Amino acid sequence: MKKITYILFIFSVHCFAQHHSKLIVEVNNEKKTLNIYQELTYFNQTNDTLSSIVLNDWNNAYSDKNTPLGKRFSDEFVRSFHLASEKERGNTNTITIIDDSKSLLSWNRPDGFPDLVAFQLKNKLLPGQKTTFVLSYFVKIPDDKFTKYGFNSNEEMALKNWFLTPSRYENKKFITYSNLNIDDVPNALTDIDLQITTNANFQVISDLVLDKKENSTTTFSGKNQLYVNLYIIKKPTFLSFKTSQLEVTTNIEDKKVDDINKAIIVDKIVNYVGDNLGTYPKSKITVSQLDYEQNPFYGLNQLPSFISPFPDNFIYELKFLKTYLNNYLKSTLQLDSRKDNWIYDAIQVYYMMKYIDENYPNYKMMGSIAKLRLVRGYNLVSLDFNEQYSYFYMLMARKNLDQPLGNPKNTLIKFNEKIASKYRAGLSFRYLSDYIGEQNLKESVTQFVAYSTKNQSDISKFETIIQNHSVKNTDWFFNTIINSRKIIDYKFDEVTKTNDSVSFNLKNKTGVNVPIPIYGIKNKQIVFKQWINEVKEDSIYTFKRFDADKIVINYQNIVPEYNQRNNWKSLKPIRLSNKPIKFNFLKDLEDPFYNQIIYLPTLEYNFYDGFIPGINFHNKTILDKPFTFDINPSYSTKSNNLSGSFSLGVNQYNRDSNPYYIKYGFSGSTFHYAPDAYYQKINPYIIFKFRENDFRNNQGKSLVLRQVYVNRDPSSFVKNTFEGNYSIFNARFASGKTEITKSFSYSTDLQISSKFGKTSGNINFRRLFDDNRQVNLRFYAGIFLYNRTNSNYFSFALDRPSDYLFDYNYLGRSESTGIFSQQYIQAEGGFKSKLSNPYSNQWMTTFNGSFNIWNWIEVYSDFGLMKNKQQDARFVYDNGIRLNLVTDYFELYFPVYSNNGWEVSQPKYAEKIRFIIAFSPKSLLGLFTRKWF
């Protein structure tokens, strides 16, 4: 009997008892600090006896540049955190912990976890027991420029994870995660009583319930809190709406939507979510603009403000829906948000898609722009609104950068974490819903939400509930769709038809066997739909035809399929092609029902051809393709002759091995290399790319094998460098790892031709130190294996390589005087000063270094040894000032002293200044996309 009573007691504790924190907080807005007194009553809700306790202190992640958060910022090229001053950083200090026997407890931060606080108990805590601790500490709030949470220039504060909270306990241990700015703190449920005092001209907004406000002191309370957000603001920006279910406090921005329409939208969404997920279990929720900005609706948020393809009410509605769903789930579901994050994403995105289907079924991805006659033929604007989710996921899948949905959130690269994996999760739910039935999925989700609101839960519980609500087998969903990165790709093999039926078999191109729907289409209308649960290799499937004029695999894109270009067959008696050709001006989304050819005008420039207008024809849509072509005929206005380039490429992706990417290509170009002479370059090549198993690792390796054929016309303007036509085999290997605080790379190069053989290598190192000083170092060495040439055309160069492979973007490649001769490209010797006899036909070694003295102003120094045949080796050097405005894209070099002497005192100094300037949009785009991929 006693045993039964004990079990019932433990059960009651698990179901109803929570930790409890009583917080008394004094805010110093001028110093950006919180003085916190906290009474923490800790309930042991586990079946284990506890001898220690772990608290999350995620604010302390901002205390140092080398915390896990600081390193993640560096990985994602966020420079502001490393450059921040101490007053802009955050920390938690002067922590004292006293137990219920008035003993002062010692505490520590576990190795590698500067944002956790761990302490040993004087007396072990048995299952079902509770104990109380008194904590006091100061919290220094960080600047909000890092994550949008923190203090701003008006001394206002937006606070998240700002006080010490008990960590989630699971599988006989505390969950110990560091703050990585991915919204996945593993807090245990806690009841909160909060008394907060601020300056008189500030008000406090919280997702807790307001109990009372007296002068500058506000009191809140809340039950079953996983986190507590606070907004300490001067101007009232939040509105409060009371619906039939709860009170909603929000400041989602949209100045064009009045308060009445906002109230209607809020009530509509609260009821929609309540009908599908269950009534929100608390009486109040906060939905802030900051919450939205942390996870915006990508697509809408990228449009310029002057473009308004959607009604104002719709934009507000979608922003509120997305944020409300996120806050609902994150504040109720007791999941490990790092390990099982995909469940949040799946529920959120699936119900966003469902909401659009029910309320805005005719909306297009680009809104009212789709009505413009000028763009009506573009798939980008004619696509249904919900189809954009599939394209965002496929963008990564086609680059072979997608990751399993079941991977922990901290292992995802940023684009997957913020966009692709999130959308793939919602698409997967839509797939499952269509397969097992929408009502079955709804009941499963509702039951899981209700269970996880009251109990700690995980994917296994979710899987059990799904299986209980489906008569069909769903193992494939969790094994393949969730826990692998296997891709799905079916195509028709043989198709036969009669007036009444159609027969076919399917080819499974990837060997991934999952259910697939088959559609019959007549005049763009669905006349039948059949699921094939298991595709068997030699099976022939026969369906009633219902007068269909074509059959299509996955017509409604229910299945997140890798390639839809091979998904349909015409049943018409006469057809010229399954896919007609469609021409599009500018780049478009991939349209699986057409062979698309994109055309657009181009404009280039070099000194000899002048401006070079042309027209570019290619098949490169936004999604990568297995085969691409690019043909760019152009006209040189200065020489009045034709010019241009072309390239053909076959892309091969290896999903689970290295090299993960192989490209077989063939390219060519023809332009002037001198005022009176053309060059033609033909370049067959193979590119291999390698990566680490950890996709977030910025380490990259590549191997390029190519044969370069060059034909050059003789020129009367370029003396003593004409070597005729030539062919060179070139092998290049490169490896590098780059982040904000440091970069290290090296490469090797081998060139073999009938006239010479040479090899070279270089090492690059960059380091940004804690005092924000930066050093850049480069070492280069090259040697001829044999050399039977008669000029310096193929020789190593100190400052301006002749570029006989025509790889560099010289504006005036044959110029030796004038502004175009001052263009600098860091290659070979890497010198900035123009020294006499700058070529080496035997061997060369150089060292280039720079160090910043203030912001982007640096001093540079180069020195080296070079050796020519029948000559002694000579020592060369130069130094000067570098204005590193945008590294590798816009730089200026001012020589000071070299083998030439004091260059600043010599005549025509302006002609000695060197510059780097990049006109390539693709290169500049890399500055902004590198943090995402």
Side-chain angles (χ1 to χ4, degrees):
M1 185 67 186
K2 289 183 179 179
K3 186 175 182 181
I4 294 174
T5 303
Y6 177 75
I7 292 173
L8 290 174
F9 172 72
I10 294 299
F11 177 77
S12 67
V13 167
H14 286 188
C15 292
F16 303 108
Q18 307 294 344
H19 310 305
H20 180 270
S21 275
K22 179 181 178 181
L23 295 156
I24 299 176
V25 181
E26 294 181 0
V27 181
N28 188 320
N29 294 86
E30 291 78 15
K31 294 183 178 180
K32 289 85 177 178
T33 60
L34 311 177
N35 183 4
I36 298 178
Y37 170 88
Q38 179 178 0
E39 292 181 7
L40 171 61
T41 301
Y42 192 95
F43 284 86
N44 185 357
Q45 302 166 72
T46 76
N47 295 321
D48 301 328
T49 298
L50 302 181
S51 58
S52 64
I53 290 176
V54 174
L55 305 178
N56 291 315
D57 180 20
W58 278 24
N59 183 74
N60 204 59
Y62 299 91
S63 61
D64 187 81
K65 302 175 183 181
N66 298 308
T67 64
L69 178 64
K71 292 176 181 177
R72 188 164 179 106
F73 281 142
S74 180
D75 288 344
E76 294 181 351
F77 300 94
V78 178
R79 192 178 179 89
S80 61
F81 188 74
H82 192 88
L83 298 178
S85 63
E86 286 302 316
K87 69 178 182 179
E88 294 174 315
R89 301 187 187 284
N91 60 64
T92 306
N93 56 61
T94 62
I95 299 173
T96 62
I97 304 174
I98 300 174
D99 66 13
D100 55 4
S101 64
K102 310 300 182 183
S103 297
L104 182 65
L105 302 182
S106 61
W107 58 272
N108 69 290
R109 298 192 183 277
D111 290 344
F113 295 95
D115 35 23
L116 299 180
V117 170
F119 59 92
Q120 296 291 320
L121 302 178
K122 295 285 187 181
N123 301 303
K124 293 184 178 181
L125 195 61
L126 299 176
Q129 285 188 337
K130 65 179 180 179
T131 186
T132 300
F133 306 96
V134 175
L135 300 88
S136 63
Y137 49 96
F138 280 93
V139 173
K140 168 68 174 65
I141 303 301
D143 195 305
D144 68 357
K145 67 181 179 180
F146 309 131
T147 65
K148 299 185 184 295
Y149 288 102
F151 69 83
N152 63 21
S153 57
N154 293 325
E155 298 180 351
E156 297 175 318
M157 297 182 186
L159 305 180
K160 188 168 191 173
N161 303 320
W162 52 277
F163 65 97
L164 300 182
T165 55
S167 182
R168 176 186 175 109
Y169 188 91
E170 188 175 62
N171 297 326
K172 299 186 177 298
K173 63 180 180 180
F174 287 99
I175 302 299
T176 53
Y177 294 152
S178 278
N179 184 359
L180 299 176
N181 189 34
I182 53 177
D183 191 24
D184 61 351
V185 61
N187 287 338
L189 275 184
T190 306
D191 295 340
I192 301 291
D193 288 306
L194 169 64
Q195 176 184 300
I196 182 168
T197 303
T198 65
N199 291 352
N201 57 333
F202 287 86
Q203 63 172 301
V204 183
I205 304 296
S206 175
D207 37 21
L208 299 173
V209 175
L210 174 64
D211 291 332
K212 65 178 180 178
K213 178 173 173 55
E214 294 181 356
N215 300 321
S216 57
T217 299
T218 310
T219 304
F220 297 94
S221 62
K223 300 289 186 181
N224 302 328
Q225 298 293 137
L226 286 170
Y227 58 83
V228 175
N229 287 344
L230 289 182
Y231 304 91
I232 304 171
I233 56 178
K234 291 181 178 179
K235 296 181 179 179
T237 58
F238 283 83
L239 297 173
S240 183
F241 300 101
K242 291 188 177 180
T243 73
S244 60
Q245 298 186 25
L246 76 160
E247 177 186 354
V248 178
T249 302
T250 181
N251 68 340
I252 294 286
E253 294 176 1
D254 199 310
K255 297 179 181 179
K256 297 179 181 179
V257 180
D258 60 45
D259 292 352
I260 294 176
N261 277 308
K262 287 180 180 179
I264 294 171
I265 291 169
V266 167
D267 187 69
K268 177 182 177 182
I269 289 173
V270 168
N271 289 327
Y272 168 79
V273 174
D275 291 341
N276 286 277
L277 299 183
T279 303
Y280 187 68
K282 303 172 188 177
S283 60
K284 182 182 178 182
I285 191 171
T286 300
V287 182
S288 72
Q289 177 67 19
L290 179 52
D291 292 331
Y292 173 73
E293 291 173 358
Q294 288 292 297
N295 288 286
F297 189 95
Y298 289 96
L300 289 181
N301 72 315
Q302 305 303 312
L303 295 174
S305 58
F306 62 86
I307 296 179
S308 299
F310 298 101
D312 297 325
N313 279 17
F314 175 78
I315 294 175
Y316 181 85
E317 196 169 345
L318 202 61
K319 289 165 67 175
F320 184 84
L321 172 65
K322 187 177 194 300
T323 313
Y324 179 78
L325 276 166
N326 179 76
N327 290 8
Y328 178 111
L329 296 169
K330 286 294 180 72
S331 63
T332 57
L333 301 191
Q334 295 185 65
L335 290 169
D336 184 331
S337 298
R338 183 163 295 182
K339 185 176 69 174
D340 293 326
N341 178 73
W342 74 270
I343 298 178
Y344 295 105
D345 293 340
I347 296 174
Q348 181 195 43
V349 175
Y350 171 73
Y351 280 105
M352 287 178 63
M353 296 172 71
K354 192 169 179 288
Y355 186 87
I356 295 295
D357 286 338
E358 293 176 5
N359 295 280
Y360 302 97
N362 298 319
Y363 268 42
K364 301 298 181 182
M365 178 176 172
M366 296 296 290
S368 59
I369 293 176
K371 298 178 181 179
L372 299 177
R373 186 181 297 272
L374 183 65
V375 296
R376 196 166 292 173
Y378 286 86
N379 199 33
L380 176 66
V381 299
S382 62
L383 207 67
D384 287 343
F385 188 88
N386 279 339
E387 288 302 297
Q388 64 186 294
Y389 296 105
S390 178
Y391 275 89
F392 275 116
Y393 153 66
M394 200 55 63
L395 182 69
M396 298 302 281
R398 293 282 185 88
K399 293 180 180 295
N400 202 9
L401 289 174
D402 57 306
Q403 295 171 271
L405 293 180
N407 273 17
K409 191 175 184 180
N410 63 309
T411 66
L412 302 179
I413 56 179
K414 188 172 182 178
F415 194 93
N416 286 335
E417 181 241 319
K418 292 288 188 182
I419 306 176
S421 291
K422 186 180 290 286
Y423 291 174
R424 168 74 189 276
L427 291 167
S428 299
F429 253 38
R430 186 179 67 164
Y431 180 15
L432 183 63
S433 171
D434 199 282
Y435 181 67
I436 69 172
E438 183 178 316
Q439 185 61 30
N440 289 332
L441 182 64
K442 178 182 177 181
E443 292 174 359
S444 299
V445 172
T446 303
Q447 181 180 337
F448 178 74
V449 169
Y451 177 86
S452 299
T453 299
K454 298 178 180 179
N455 307 274
Q456 289 192 171
S457 188
D458 58 21
I459 185 176
S460 62
K461 181 63 180 179
F462 185 66
E463 184 172 1
T464 299
I465 291 175
I466 290 289
Q467 291 170 346
N468 290 340
H469 282 83
S470 174
V471 296
K472 298 179 179 179
N473 178 30
T474 57
D475 289 346
W476 58 270
F477 179 77
F478 293 93
N479 295 337
T480 301
I481 303 300
I482 303 302
N483 292 318
S484 82
R485 62 188 300 268
K486 296 177 181 177
I487 56 175
I488 304 165
D489 190 10
Y490 290 103
K491 65 174 290 187
F492 289 111
D493 197 0
E494 296 182 8
V495 178
T496 59
K497 64 182 185 297
T498 67
N499 290 333
D500 299 322
S501 66
V502 57
S503 299
F504 57 88
N505 56 9
L506 293 177
K507 184 175 181 180
N508 187 344
K509 296 189 67 178
T510 60
V512 177
N513 207 325
V514 296
I516 194 78
I518 308 295
Y519 297 80
I521 307 298
K522 181 180 180 181
N523 298 326
K524 298 185 178 181
Q525 299 296 317
I526 299 172
V527 294
F528 74 79
K529 173 186 175 183
Q530 295 284 343
W531 277 95
I532 298 177
N533 296 333
E534 184 178 358
V535 177
K536 298 180 179 178
E537 186 174 348
D538 299 323
S539 295
I540 296 177
Y541 303 94
T542 301
F543 298 144
K544 287 185 179 181
R545 182 171 171 178
F546 296 103
D547 295 327
D549 52 35
K550 61 184 173 184
I551 56 171
V552 185
I553 302 168
N554 194 25
Y555 178 71
Q556 294 176 308
N557 199 17
I558 294 296
V559 181
E561 197 178 6
Y562 182 76
N563 178 19
Q564 288 190 288
R565 296 187 306 274
N566 55 11
N567 274 21
W568 67 285
K569 288 286 187 179
S570 174
L571 301 180
K572 293 180 180 179
I574 300 176
R575 68 178 192 276
L576 296 177
S577 171
N578 261 335
K579 295 182 182 179
I581 294 176
K582 181 169 73 170
F583 287 88
N584 282 116
F585 179 69
L586 302 177
K587 187 169 285 191
D588 193 12
L589 285 180
E590 180 176 286
D591 190 333
F593 300 107
Y594 291 91
N595 288 311
Q596 294 163 283
I597 296 179
I598 314 297
Y599 65 95
L600 70 158
T602 60
L603 182 64
E604 299 180 71
Y605 176 83
N606 71 58
F607 187 50
Y608 312 117
D609 290 294
F611 287 101
I612 313 169
I615 186 165
N616 181 228
F617 297 93
H618 65 84
N619 70 333
K620 299 174 184 175
T621 56
I622 293 174
L623 301 182
D624 290 358
K625 290 184 174 182
F627 170 75
T628 59
F629 66 84
D630 192 311
I631 302 172
N632 193 182
S634 56
Y635 180 76
S636 301
T637 56
K638 196 170 184 178
S639 62
N640 296 319
N641 284 309
L642 294 177
S643 56
S645 61
F646 75 91
S647 67
L648 307 172
V650 176
N651 301 306
Q652 175 185 328
Y653 293 100
N654 301 318
R655 299 287 295 178
D656 300 307
S657 62
N658 270 324
Y660 79 97
Y661 170 72
I662 305 174
K663 182 173 184 177
Y664 309 89
F666 185 76
S667 64
S669 59
T670 178
F671 293 98
H672 280 83
Y673 76 92
D676 61 340
Y678 266 100
Y679 77 87
Q680 294 86 35
K681 172 184 174 181
I682 300 295
N683 178 32
Y685 61 88
I686 304 176
I687 300 173
F688 303 88
K689 290 187 178 181
F690 307 84
R691 68 180 173 204
E692 302 296 315
N693 292 330
D694 177 7
F695 281 25
R696 284 192 58 84
N697 191 325
N698 290 334
Q699 179 81 38
K701 298 177 182 178
S702 65
L703 173 65
V704 179
L705 304 176
R706 61 177 180 164
Q707 189 74 34
V708 181
Y709 301 92
V710 176
N711 296 327
R712 291 197 309 154
D713 298 335
S715 170
S716 59
F717 290 87
V718 182
K719 305 295 184 182
N720 302 321
T721 65
F722 189 68
E723 292 282 349
N725 303 326
Y726 50 88
S727 171
I728 299 172
F729 170 76
N730 181 212
R732 293 179 175 177
F733 177 80
S735 176
K737 184 175 183 178
T738 302
E739 54 191 61
I740 280 293
T741 56
K742 58 185 175 182
S743 174
F744 177 80
S745 64
Y746 66 90
S747 64
T748 60
D749 185 276
L750 173 67
Q751 298 176 21
I752 300 294
S753 76
S754 60
K755 295 182 178 180
F756 71 89
K758 63 195 294 191
T759 186
S760 63
N762 73 71
I763 299 172
N764 291 275
F765 175 78
R766 174 183 57 79
R767 180 64 191 270
L768 181 62
F769 296 100
D770 287 347
D771 61 358
N772 296 330
R773 298 292 183 184
Q774 179 171 290
V775 62
N776 295 272
L777 304 175
R778 176 179 179 267
F779 174 77
Y780 175 84
I783 186 171
F784 275 92
L785 306 177
Y786 58 93
N787 189 353
R788 297 189 286 269
T789 62
N790 299 315
S791 71
N792 281 319
Y793 184 60
F794 298 108
S795 295
F796 297 111
L798 271 181
D799 73 292
R800 188 174 167 85
S802 58
D803 189 27
Y804 49 86
L805 294 176
F806 293 90
D807 290 335
Y808 306 136
N809 188 26
Y810 278 126
L811 299 175
R813 63 179 59 251
S814 298
E815 295 304 291
S816 57
T817 59
I819 185 66
F820 292 114
S821 71
Q822 295 173 237
Q823 182 183 3
Y824 174 74
I825 292 177
Q826 182 166 281
E828 298 188 3
F831 270 54
K832 290 78 182 175
S833 294
K834 297 180 180 180
L835 305 184
S836 60
N837 191 18
Y839 298 103
S840 169
N841 58 22
Q842 194 167 356
W843 58 262
M844 172 190 290
T845 62
T846 61
F847 179 85
N848 318 118
S850 65
F851 183 78
N852 69 316
I853 53 178
W854 182 79
N855 285 347
W856 35 264
I857 300 176
E858 303 178 5
V859 293
Y860 72 81
S861 181
D862 308 311
F863 56 87
L865 290 170
M866 57 190 302
K867 174 74 168 62
N868 281 289
K869 295 178 181 178
Q870 285 83 48
Q871 296 181 15
D872 293 333
R874 65 188 181 108
F875 178 71
V876 289
Y877 61 92
D878 72 356
N879 58 63
I881 301 297
R882 175 191 187 192
L883 301 187
N884 186 7
L885 302 173
V886 183
T887 303
D888 297 331
Y889 297 92
F890 186 34
E891 304 178 22
L892 294 173
Y893 294 88
F894 297 86
V896 174
Y897 189 74
S898 69
N899 291 87
N900 296 329
W902 286 98
E903 301 204 35
V904 291
S905 62
Q906 295 174 2
K908 298 182 179 180
Y909 179 74
E911 296 180 7
K912 298 176 180 291
I913 299 172
R914 306 295 294 274
F915 66 88
I916 291 176
I917 186 167
F919 289 110
S920 169
K922 184 176 180 181
S923 298
L924 291 171
L925 186 63
L927 282 173
F928 305 98
T929 60
R930 60 185 181 177
K931 67 175 63 177
W932 289 92
F933 301 98

